Amino acid sequence: MTVTRFPPSPTGYLHIGGARTAFYSWLHARQNNGRFVLRIEDTDLERSTQESVQAILDGMQWLGLDYDEGPYYQTQRFDRYKEVIADLLAAGHAYHCECSKERLDAMREEQKANGLKPKYDGRCRELGLADADNTVVRFKNPLTGDVVIEDMVKGNIVISNHELDDLVIARPDGVPTYNLTVVVDDMDMGITHVIRGDDHINNTPRQINILRALGAELPRYGHVPMILGQDGARLSKRHGAVSVMQYRDEGYLPEALLNYLVRLGWSHGDQELFTQQELLDLFRIEDVSRAPSAFNPEKLLWVNQEKIKQLSAAELLDKSAWYFKQAGIQVEETAESVAVIDLIKERCKTLLDVVTQSQWYFCAVSEYDAAAVKKWIKPGTSEILSTLIGKLADVSDWTADNIQHCVQQTVDAHEVGFAKVAQPVRIAVTGGTNSPSIDATLAILGSAETLKRLRAGLAAFV
Ligand code: GLU
C-alpha cells in the first residue's frame, strides 16, 4: 500500500511551495489508492506556534487536501524517539560523544584551513562513553560504501559514506534532532514515498543510513526542485509569495491554485487546464522536472479566470458566497441572482471581482464614482435622463429589446452618441461605468428598481 506524507514545520503559514509538495504527495497517494498522512514537525519549540498549526490545517482544508491519518504531532512522540535512540545505542549504531563546542569549532577551523570539508573526526566513536549531562548521542554512520538514492524525480544520486559524518541524533538534554524524528516517523507511519523539496536532499543519505540501522524498509524518495521568483532567486515573501490563505482572500479558487502549482515543474503536452480527475489520471511524480521553475502571478491569475469561466453561474455564485458575506452583502441563490452572475461572469478574474462586478444588483447605490461623474455627467445629461425615464416608464413588457429601443430613441432624440446616454445611466444604476450591456443590466434590475435609481441619479446629478 502506498503511503505518502506531508510534514510541515509549523513555523509560519502554509506557503505555496509547501502546498505544491503536499499536492504532489496527495496525488501520489490518491492515484495509487494509498494513504496520505499529515504530520506536524513541531519539535523546534521556539519557532513552532499554534497559529501556524492552525494556518496549515486551514490551508489544507481550503485546498481540499484531505488526509487519512493525522495530524500527528512530533512533540507528542518524544517517548518513542527516546526509545529508538536507546535501541540504536544498545545495538552499537550510536554512541555518546563528549566533545566540547570548543573542540569541535577548533577542529572545523583546522579542516577548513587545510581545504577539507568540515566533518566530525569520530573521536568518541569507539570510546564507549556513558551518558552524561554534557554528552550528545551520535549516529555511527558507516565508514565505507555509498548510499544510492534512486530518486523518483532526480534519478540516481550516489553519495559516498566518506562524505557523511556521525550525525548528532540527541542533544545533551536528550531531545532528539530533526533527522532522527523524521526517520522514526517515516518508519513508524509506514511511509513508502517521501516527496519533498530538494532543499532536504542532503538529509536523505543520512536518513537512509539510520533507517538501515533500524532495519526499516526504505521509502522511495522524490525531491522536487524549488520554486523560484521571476528574478531567479528562491521564492520568498519578497516576491509577494504569501500564505495560500491569502490567495483565498484575494479571490482565487483552490482548484486554480492547485492547477497552477501542479504545472510548475510538471507538464502534459501543452495542456494548461486540468480537472482534478485528469490530474489523478495523468500526473506522475517521475515526470516532474529536475529544474526549478519560476512563479508567475499573471499566469496564476489567467488560470483562475479560466477556471471561473468553466463554472456554471450557479456554481460561481456558490463559490462566491463567502466573499459576499465578507463584503457584508446578503445574497440568496435565486434564478435572478444566478442570472446576474451569468451576466458578469466573463468580466471576472477572481471571486472578489464577482462581488465588485455584481454588487450593483444586490445593494442600493450608495455613492457615485467621482471620476465617472466628472467625465460623463454634463450639462444636458438631465434632459437625456428625463427623456429616457419617460420612455422606460411606458414600457409594459420589460425586456432587453424594449429597453434597448428606448435607449436608441433617446439617443436619436438628443442627437448624441450612444455613450452619452448609456454611461450616465450606468452611473445612476450601478454607481460607476463598469457594468454589462445597458439593456441587460436594466432588464435584470427590473422596471421599478431601474426607474427608482434613474430618478435618484437625476436628482443627484443636477
Ligand atoms: N518539516 C520539514 C519541512 O517543513 C519537512 C521534511 C520532510 O519532508 O522530510 O521542511
Side-chain angles (χ1 to χ4, degrees), residues 223-244:
H223 290 93
V224 178
M226 296 285 99
I227 301 178
L228 306 180
Q230 284 185 308
D231 57 359
R234 191 174 159 177
L235 192 66
S236 69
K237 278 188 201 159
R238 198 161 52 78
H239 300 97
V242 289
S243 135
V244 297

Side-chain angles (χ1 to χ4, degrees), residues 259-292:
N259 187 135
Y260 175 71
L261 288 179
V262 82
R263 276 281 292 105
L264 260 185
W266 173 83
S267 56
H268 179 72
D270 49 15
Q271 186 171 347
E272 291 291 355
L273 302 170
F274 298 86
T275 62
Q276 191 145 100
Q277 189 54 51
E278 283 177 310
L279 289 176
L280 286 167
D281 293 341
L282 298 170
F283 176 77
R284 290 287 168 268
I285 187 67
E286 291 82 1
D287 297 337
V288 169
S289 159
R290 294 179 185 189

